[in-house]
């Protein structure tokens, strides 16, 4: 495949190119304070997730679902019945009724909605593609004085997550999950 080498065919503005170069220069790291307490939940075939009323993570995969303690990653409940799992999803795939306790939770994922990406105090999380198709996740506080996009952002080290990525905060804004087909990465703040 021959790609055009003529720079006159560049579709992006100088501003957009500068943002791209800034993003490409970022070095993946842990989220900034106050985010800490990293938990990794390995799970193959993840398709969606959500937070229950206790802000524990509901992780939905092609082989069932699990309810996981978001502070430790330990499984609270696991159901490997894929049919029961799919039957518990709403037709629009935006909510999931947990068969374990009949609680209905909003979900987001690859065939579901999008996660809550801004907290009440200005933390914002976003999936970006500085090396498309490789996904990266940035976190920044958009309520900082003199805020400029990407200036105070941290690119989160995704550990073993790759492929399509989704992310979202819990309802309180005190927990963050990054979802990949291979599992979830959770950060908590106090």
């Amino acid at each position: 495949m021959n790609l055009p080498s003529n720079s006159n065919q560049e579709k992006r503005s100088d501003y957009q190119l500068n943002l791209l170069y800034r993003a490409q220069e970022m070095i993946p790291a842990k989220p900034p304070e106050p985010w800490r307490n990293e938990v990794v939940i390995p799970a193959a075939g993840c398709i969606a997730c959500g937070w229950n009323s206790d802000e524990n993570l509901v992780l939905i995969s092609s082989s069932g679902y699990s309810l996981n303690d978001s502070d430790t990653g330990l499984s609270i409940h696991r159901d490997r019945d894929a049919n029961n799992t799919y039957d518990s999803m709403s037709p629009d795939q935006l909510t999931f009724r947990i068969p374990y306790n009949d609680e209905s939770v909003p979900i987001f994922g690859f065939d579901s909605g999008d996660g809550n990406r801004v907290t009440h105090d200005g933390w914002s999380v976003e999936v970006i593609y500085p090396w498309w198709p490789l996904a990266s996740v940035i976190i920044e506080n958009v309520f900082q004085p003199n805020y400029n996009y990407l200036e105070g952002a941290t690119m989160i080290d995704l550990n073993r997550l790759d492929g399509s990525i989704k992310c979202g905060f819990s309802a309180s804004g005190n927990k963050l999950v990054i979802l990949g087909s291979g599992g979830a990465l959770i950060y908590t703040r106090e």
Side-chain angles (χ1 to χ4, degrees):
M1 177 167 133
N2 291 331
L3 298 176
S5 61
N6 183 348
S7 63
N8 292 333
Q9 296 193 18
E10 176 61 57
K11 304 287 186 212
R12 295 167 289 191
S13 70
D14 288 343
Y15 174 77
Q16 291 168 329
L17 288 170
N18 286 334
L19 284 177
L20 174 64
Y21 301 145
R22 186 180 301 163
Q24 288 176 338
E25 290 173 353
M26 296 175 86
I27 298 171
K30 301 292 182 198
E33 288 292 328
W35 298 98
R36 54 187 176 277
N37 190 36
E38 179 184 85
V39 172
V40 177
I41 302 175
C46 291
I47 58 172
C49 67
W51 304 97
N52 77 351
S53 58
D54 294 326
E55 295 199 339
N56 290 312
L57 187 69
V58 178
L59 195 55
I60 302 166
S61 74
S62 57
S63 62
Y65 80 94
S66 62
L67 179 61
N68 304 279
D69 184 305
S70 59
D71 292 323
T72 65
L74 295 175
S75 177
I76 297 169
H77 179 76
R78 173 77 166 103
D79 185 340
R80 296 183 194 285
D81 185 341
N83 291 331
N84 190 30
T85 297
Y86 285 111
D87 289 345
S88 297
M89 292 178 78
S90 65
D92 61 7
Q93 297 188 359
L94 297 177
T95 57
F96 180 76
R97 185 192 48 75
I98 305 171
Y100 166 70
N101 61 7
D102 212 32
E103 180 182 358
S104 184
V105 298
I107 60 173
F108 64 94
F110 305 118
D111 294 326
S112 300
D114 218 2
N116 176 13
R117 293 185 288 144
V118 180
T119 66
H120 68 281
D121 58 344
W123 285 101
S124 173
V125 67
E126 180 181 1
V127 178
I128 63 171
Y129 295 87
W131 301 280
W132 187 87
L134 180 64
S136 297
V137 174
I138 59 167
I139 187 170
E140 59 186 335
N141 194 310
V142 298
F143 289 179
Q144 293 295 322
N146 303 314
Y147 167 77
N148 283 311
Y149 184 62
L150 290 185
E151 257 183 33
T154 299
M155 183 179 287
I156 298 176
D157 181 356
L158 298 181
N159 292 327
R160 60 193 260 323
L161 297 179
D162 62 2
S164 294
I165 300 290
K166 290 286 190 167
C167 53
F169 294 106
S170 63
S172 71
N174 291 328
K175 303 206 183 264
L176 164 65
V177 65
I178 302 170
L179 177 69
S181 63
L185 178 60
I186 303 171
Y187 288 98
T188 303
R189 65 177 174 154
E190 297 299 321

